[in-house]
Amino acid sequence: MTTPFYTLGIESSCDETAVAILRGERELVANLIYSQAQMHARYGGVVPEVASRDHLRKLPYLMRDALVEAKIDTTDLSLVAATYGPGLVGPLLVGLSYGKGMAFGLNVPFIGVNHLEGHIFAQRLCSSEVIPPFMALIVSGGHTSLVDVASYGEYHLVGMTVDDAAGEALDKVGKMLGIGYPAGAEIDRLASQGNPTAINFPRPMSGSPGFDFSFAGLKTSVLYYLREHPREKREDVAASFLASVVSVLAKKAIDATRRYHRKNLVVVGGVAANAHLRERMHADGNARDIDVTFPAVEYCTDNAAMIAAAGAYHHLVLEESHPLSLGPQASLSL
Ligand code: KG4
Ligand code: ZN
């Protein structure tokens, strides 16, 4: 019997400290996430210095608990994978240094993972049915990008936001509505109780050619609307604003999938957890003969399972590893 290949995954690019252990390429044997969100909520957003310190405090305990959950010892680990960008440089540095230290101490290979590629691998963890080539929409707090996935490891950027990311706009509008950070999930819930046609917010870039997005103007429209209508039902504002975001994302993503002659569209990242987006994308995909898939909700937001999966693939299939001199890259792209 061959010894199993265990990959340790570490994610610390923003305000989630996460550790996961993967057996082989896809079998998850531990997956732990500690969210610092509550700690940052009082500042209305992530404070990088506070985040770094908390990753440093939490990582050793998560590591211990992950090994217990996986019922293995550190010496059973075959590979260490850690996010090296994009993200906040201090928080990245903590997880990356920890991972490199473990790889050095255990004398196993190390691989740095691009967080955005990690989000794409969340889909691979959840289903073996969708394989490249496909179109991917990455919608998170920091990114809104359309990426043509020719194969795992070969990505072509098709479009991206020219200003705010979709999740960033959701979080900022959430603040205007008095919702704590992060606001996406709460806007999702509020919107279910409101009328999406109550207010006619703009659909930015919807009619323009190309596949870029813009959400800053929409966010400002909501700000002005709330100033003029301070008594408007929050549920209706949330529903109407979300309807606009969802409509633009769905239109551009489906159009791009067709333009690139792909049959599958994969939607990943924290905003992909949104129930309204999931419903609308499925409906639009059905109408245009495109299969739209999402990872399970718990793998949409930041986690280390997706980092371990991307790392294991790069090492086992593409036969890659990184030197221990690899540093954090805050603006890393795909
Ligand atoms: O992927 P992620 O966890 O972190 C980044 O890489 O940025 O995404 C976080 C973003 C936040 O803006 C959060 O408000 C949003 O995802 N989010 C949601 C939902 N859950 C999280 N947005 C809409 N609906 C949700 N259910
Ligand atoms: Zn993310």
Side-chain angles (χ1 to χ4, degrees), residues 271-282:
V271 181
N274 191 275
H276 303 264
L277 182 69
R278 293 170 90 97
E279 194 185 322
R280 170 74 184 265
M281 288 257 188
H282 278 131

Side-chain angles (χ1 to χ4, degrees), residues 118-139:
H119 275 303
I120 293 173
F121 270 80
Q123 172 59 33
R124 190 168 189 268
L125 264 183
C126 293
S127 141
S128 50
E129 277 167 30
V130 184
I131 51 167
F134 57 74
M135 183 61 63
L137 171 66
I138 306 175
V139 259

Side-chain angles (χ1 to χ4, degrees), residues 115 119 140-142 167-168 170-171 182-185 188 269-271 273-274 300-302:
H115 181 86
H119 275 303
S140 69
E168 192 179 352
L170 281 160
D171 291 338
D188 198 355
V271 181
N274 191 275
C300 287
T301 42
D302 287 351

Side-chain angles (χ1 to χ4, degrees), residues 18-303:
V19 174
I21 299 172
L22 195 67
R23 182 158 45 204
E25 273 184 61
R26 333 164 55 118
E27 189 194 342
L28 203 54
V29 288
N31 184 27
L32 300 177
I33 306 172
Y34 164 74
S35 172
Q36 307 174 346
Q38 247 189 335
M39 205 176 64
H40 298 289
R42 75 180 111 140
Y43 306 107
V46 180
V47 182
E49 174 74 19
V50 174
S52 306
R53 287 172 187 271
D54 210 47
H55 285 308
L56 200 59
R57 187 174 69 84
K58 265 288 176 189
L59 257 178
Y61 299 107
L62 285 177
M63 194 67 67
R64 181 197 59 193
D65 293 352
L67 289 163
V68 170
E69 194 172 309
K71 300 189 183 66
I72 61 166
D73 193 24
T74 46
T75 51
D76 296 313
L77 295 171
S78 325
L79 171 73
V80 180
T83 306
Y84 76 108
L88 301 166
V89 74
L92 281 170
L93 194 56
V94 175
L96 181 61
S97 303
Y98 201 98
K100 291 197 297 182
M102 291 217 33
F104 179 75
L106 295 168
N107 197 24
V108 297
F110 173 79
I111 187 132
V113 174
N114 181 318
H115 181 86
L116 299 173
E117 188 178 17
H119 275 303
I120 293 173
F121 270 80
Q123 172 59 33
R124 190 168 189 268
L125 264 183
C126 293
S127 141
S128 50
E129 277 167 30
V130 184
I131 51 167
F134 57 74
M135 183 61 63
L137 171 66
I138 306 175
V139 259
S140 69
H143 293 84
T144 301
S145 305
L146 273 165
V147 178
D148 186 49
V149 181
S151 64
Y152 289 119
E154 195 189 338
Y155 307 105
H156 304 284
L157 185 65
V158 169
M160 61 187 285
T161 181
V162 296
D163 42 54
D164 289 358
E168 192 179 352
L170 281 160
D171 291 338
K172 286 177 180 165
V173 166
K175 213 170 185 175
M176 298 173 202
L177 293 173
I179 299 169
Y181 169 86
E186 180 62 9
I187 289 191
D188 198 355
R189 201 187 60 76
L190 273 181
S192 302
Q193 297 158 12
N195 173 8
T197 58
I199 309 154
N200 191 16
F201 287 124
R203 268 50 175 165
M205 316 276 274
S206 206
S208 63
F211 299 109
D212 283 342
F213 301 94
S214 164
F215 294 105
L218 171 62
K219 175 193 68 189
T220 311
S221 301
V222 178
L223 179 70
Y224 289 156
Y225 185 87
L226 284 171
R227 270 188 199 156
E228 282 167 29
H229 307 84
R231 290 181 199 286
E232 186 68 72
K233 262 178 76 185
R234 281 183 347 142
E235 289 81 356
D236 287 349
V237 178
S240 302
F241 161 67
L242 188 59
S244 172
V245 173
V246 164
S247 153
V248 177
L249 289 173
K251 181 175 189 313
K252 293 274 175 190
I254 300 271
D255 284 355
T257 311
R258 286 173 66 92
R259 176 76 63 84
Y260 281 72
H261 307 292
R262 301 302 189 206
K263 290 292 294 168
N264 291 286
L265 170 63
V266 168
V267 189
V268 299
V271 181
N274 191 275
H276 303 264
L277 182 69
R278 293 170 90 97
E279 194 185 322
R280 170 74 184 265
M281 288 257 188
H282 278 131
D284 286 10
N286 276 340
R288 311 277 300 272
D289 210 17
I290 286 169
D291 274 332
V292 184
T293 43
F294 292 80
V297 167
E298 65 266 35
Y299 298 113
C300 287
T301 42
D302 287 351
N303 63 83

